[in-house]
Amino acid sequence: VLIYTNDDEIHKIFEVPATCDSEVPCFKSVKLLNKVERVVDILENNIVLVKDQRLLIFDLHDFELYTDTATEEDEDSKVASIVSNVISEEEYPIMISKNFSVFQSLQCFYQKGTNFQLQLHDGIILNQIVDSYLNSKKIDPLAITEKFCTSKYYMFALEKILSSKVVDKKNFADILELIDLYDSKCSEEGSKRNEKRLYIISNCLRKIEANRWSFLFDNSDITPKKLLSDCIQLNNGKLLGALLMVFLSYEDVESQSSTPIPIGTTETSERDGVATKSTSKIDNNKTESIINGTLIKQVLDVLIDNAVNSASAAAAAQEHWSMAFQLIRFLKIYDKENLTDFTKQALESIT
């Protein structure tokens, strides 16, 4: 039994084995949390509350397992929350969605010469929920997919988790498995195979610094060329053009950041269970440029084909033409800096 007291504390009342032959049951009380401002909701064996300018979500099963009665009066328990989201002084959580995707809060605004205004604000927390389930291994990856795949924020959550793990150089095998399961689930419901996976990975790459990408490429079977090849197979011009331009930038970053290392020598390090390997550029997928004339022709063919055959509004077709022209402008700069003739090859291929 959990009790929320007038002192803003949450106590747990539980039965303990009797110390004598008495048939009267014995109970003890343990304080789990203090300074709890408000209990927002209880959903699917989770309790959502506000404490110390944070929205916290706890698994009630963790409360059930906690029986340390030696906790000091002014000390919170050691039960870890599965979500801890900082909230500002101007917002106050009022409800959380049933699928744990977002919490809604009231935000108070004041502008000089006007009255106070209250507005509803959505805060996305699904990425924290999913990441917590992955780390604790309380739920099977397939069950996570079935539980959250219908949320419109699920792709964002997967992208956010992958980006964080790459930036922090943590093992990301579990989130890649979850991305593959989601892609498979969507393909069963009508999406093209690999489409959702490509969107998530490409969004991840675009939102983190290019000098961090090598950790992703070195510790998975993902390569720039493979991503571009998959986009060509999908005939997805918008995604393909964007990826090509970010990979052109990646080559510039690689060439600027690379330092000469004798061939055959390596530097290895290990962090969070992922072994990373640093070698000279004469290795693996770095032996040749990501970009070549044939690939650029394929990209432009897809972009032009998408523009010409677009069945949607004229604005959608214009977007593909704009991407094609933007790619040509980008290639001109790339040719000038790298003494290549990709622009000429591209224009000749489409005339």
Side-chain angles (χ1 to χ4, degrees):
V1 176
L2 293 180
I3 299 177
Y4 181 33
T5 71
N6 290 333
D7 297 324
D8 296 331
E9 297 176 346
I10 293 181
H11 290 254
K12 171 186 172 182
I13 309 297
F14 60 100
E15 186 176 356
V16 295
T19 56
C20 58
D21 295 333
S22 173
E23 295 183 357
V24 179
C26 296
F27 295 89
K28 284 189 177 182
S29 171
V30 57
K31 183 175 68 175
L32 297 172
L33 297 166
N34 60 14
K35 300 179 182 179
V36 176
E37 185 176 343
R38 180 181 173 223
V39 175
V40 178
D41 208 342
I42 295 179
L43 293 170
E44 295 186 12
N45 207 42
N46 294 283
I47 184 170
V48 185
L49 53 88
V50 178
K51 169 181 161 61
D52 296 332
Q53 291 298 120
R54 288 180 176 273
L55 179 80
L56 302 176
I57 301 180
F58 291 89
D59 188 332
L60 290 176
H61 182 64
D62 293 334
F63 282 173
E64 181 181 349
L65 296 177
Y66 190 82
T67 58
D68 184 6
T69 58
T71 304
E72 297 294 333
E73 282 296 315
D74 59 349
E75 181 184 8
D76 282 344
S77 72
K78 303 300 181 182
V79 179
S81 62
I82 59 176
V83 167
S84 178
N85 196 86
V86 177
I87 54 177
S88 67
E89 294 182 357
E90 292 78 22
E91 65 178 336
Y92 192 79
I94 56 175
M95 65 176 293
I96 188 168
S97 60
K98 290 184 178 180
N99 60 3
F100 292 98
S101 295
V102 299
F103 71 91
Q104 282 195 320
S105 61
L106 279 176
Q107 286 189 327
C108 183
F109 296 94
Y110 175 74
Q111 294 180 347
K112 190 175 181 180
T114 64
N115 297 325
F116 286 99
Q117 294 182 350
L118 293 177
Q119 294 184 0
L120 280 175
H121 170 74
D122 288 343
I124 301 174
I125 55 174
L126 183 57
N127 56 297
Q128 295 185 55
I129 295 283
V130 174
D131 195 31
S132 174
Y133 286 151
L134 282 177
N135 293 332
S136 65
K137 302 188 185 303
K138 290 181 178 179
I139 302 181
D140 180 83
L142 185 58
I144 295 176
T145 302
E146 294 289 343
K147 184 178 178 67
F148 298 114
C149 68
T150 57
S151 169
K152 66 178 181 179
Y153 300 104
Y154 189 56
M155 277 184 62
F156 169 80
L158 297 177
E159 170 199 325
K160 184 80 171 177
I161 297 170
L162 178 60
S163 300
S164 299
K165 288 182 180 289
V166 171
V167 169
D168 296 336
K169 294 189 175 181
K170 293 182 177 179
N171 192 313
F172 52 80
D174 51 359
I175 187 63
L176 283 185
E177 179 186 3
L178 215 54
I179 291 171
D180 289 339
L181 286 171
Y182 176 64
D183 182 82
S184 178
K185 178 74 174 176
C186 291
S187 67
E188 293 174 0
E189 298 176 357
S191 295
K192 293 181 180 179
R193 184 67 170 158
N194 269 339
E195 186 174 45
K196 300 299 184 183
R197 180 176 183 271
L198 285 170
Y199 269 113
I200 293 170
I201 295 175
S202 63
N203 285 338
C204 169
L205 293 175
R206 288 202 296 266
K207 293 179 181 179
I208 62 178
E209 298 88 344
N211 58 8
R212 298 180 184 271
W213 294 355
S214 58
F215 183 78
L216 175 65
F217 298 144
D218 292 344
N219 295 282
S220 70
D221 61 352
I222 299 171
T223 65
K225 285 188 176 181
K226 189 175 188 304
L227 290 174
L228 291 171
S229 176
D230 289 343
C231 283
I232 291 172
Q233 291 181 16
L234 285 174
N235 199 37
N236 190 318
K238 182 179 178 181
L239 181 57
L240 181 56
L243 270 179
L244 180 61
M245 284 185 283
V246 296
F247 286 148
L248 285 168
S249 300
Y250 176 60
E251 286 201 330
D252 289 341
V253 170
E254 285 289 285
S255 62
Q256 293 170 11
S257 63
S258 62
T259 55
I261 301 176
I263 297 176
T265 63
T266 62
E267 295 177 0
T268 59
S269 62
E270 189 167 330
R271 180 172 179 177
D272 293 310
V274 178
T276 62
K277 185 177 182 180
S278 175
T279 65
S280 66
K281 287 194 73 179
I282 311 177
D283 188 20
N284 298 333
N285 299 309
K286 308 288 195 307
T287 55
E288 56 181 288
S289 172
I290 297 170
I291 311 303
N292 56 61
T294 302
L295 179 61
I296 290 173
K297 180 183 181 303
Q298 290 176 316
V299 172
L300 286 172
D301 285 345
V302 171
L303 287 171
I304 294 172
D305 180 69
N306 284 188
V308 171
N309 299 308
S310 178
S312 55
Q318 182 59 38
E319 185 179 12
H320 290 101
W321 283 117
S322 177
M323 180 70 74
F325 292 136
Q326 186 179 354
L327 177 57
I328 294 296
R329 288 194 295 270
F330 197 101
L331 286 175
K332 287 182 178 180
I333 299 173
Y334 185 86
D335 285 343
K336 184 177 180 180
E337 294 178 350
N338 296 274
L339 302 178
T340 55
D341 63 346
F342 290 148
T343 305
K344 180 182 177 182
Q345 295 179 48
L347 292 174
E348 288 177 349
S349 71
I350 59 177
T351 55

